[in-house]
Amino acid sequence: MNHEEILEKINQILIEEFEVDADVIANDNNLKESLDLDSLDYVDLVVLIESNFGVKLVEADFANIVTFNDFYTMIETKVAAK
């Protein structure tokens, strides 16, 4: 799975499952502020990412996530490592 496929799949999950407006999804936007998800939504997001990409996410993975690009990079790194 290449970079573009990963971005497309993540964005599709955000739009379809969390009703995120596609206009707020931009590489440099703040992920948490843009998504405005509650803690249960974040749990759902982790489960969806894990099941769609076949990776395991832990709390520490999110320590340095600020922007959408940070999130994409973390997922891409996880996918490449599996």
Side-chain angles (χ1 to χ4, degrees), residues 1-29:
M1 189 172 257
N2 68 31
H3 178 76
E4 287 302 316
E5 292 170 330
I6 291 172
L7 266 64
E8 189 175 309
K9 185 101 173 153
I10 292 171
N11 291 347
Q12 179 184 5
I13 291 169
L14 293 173
I15 293 166
E16 291 178 6
E17 299 293 333
F18 300 98
E19 300 175 357
V20 173
D21 187 350
D23 294 340
V24 303
I25 300 173
N27 283 351
D28 294 329
N29 283 359

Side-chain angles (χ1 to χ4, degrees), residues 13 17-18 40-57 62 71:
I13 291 169
E17 299 293 333
F18 300 98
L40 290 176
D41 287 333
Y42 279 107
V43 171
D44 290 341
L45 177 60
V46 167
V47 169
L48 285 166
I49 294 296
E50 288 179 341
S51 64
N52 278 276
F53 292 97
V55 296
K56 180 73 177 148
L57 302 177
F62 292 89
F71 186 60

Side-chain angles (χ1 to χ4, degrees), residues 50-69:
E50 288 179 341
S51 64
N52 278 276
F53 292 97
V55 296
K56 180 73 177 148
L57 302 177
V58 294
E59 189 175 338
D61 293 329
F62 292 89
N64 296 317
I65 304 296
V66 176
T67 65
F68 281 91
N69 195 54

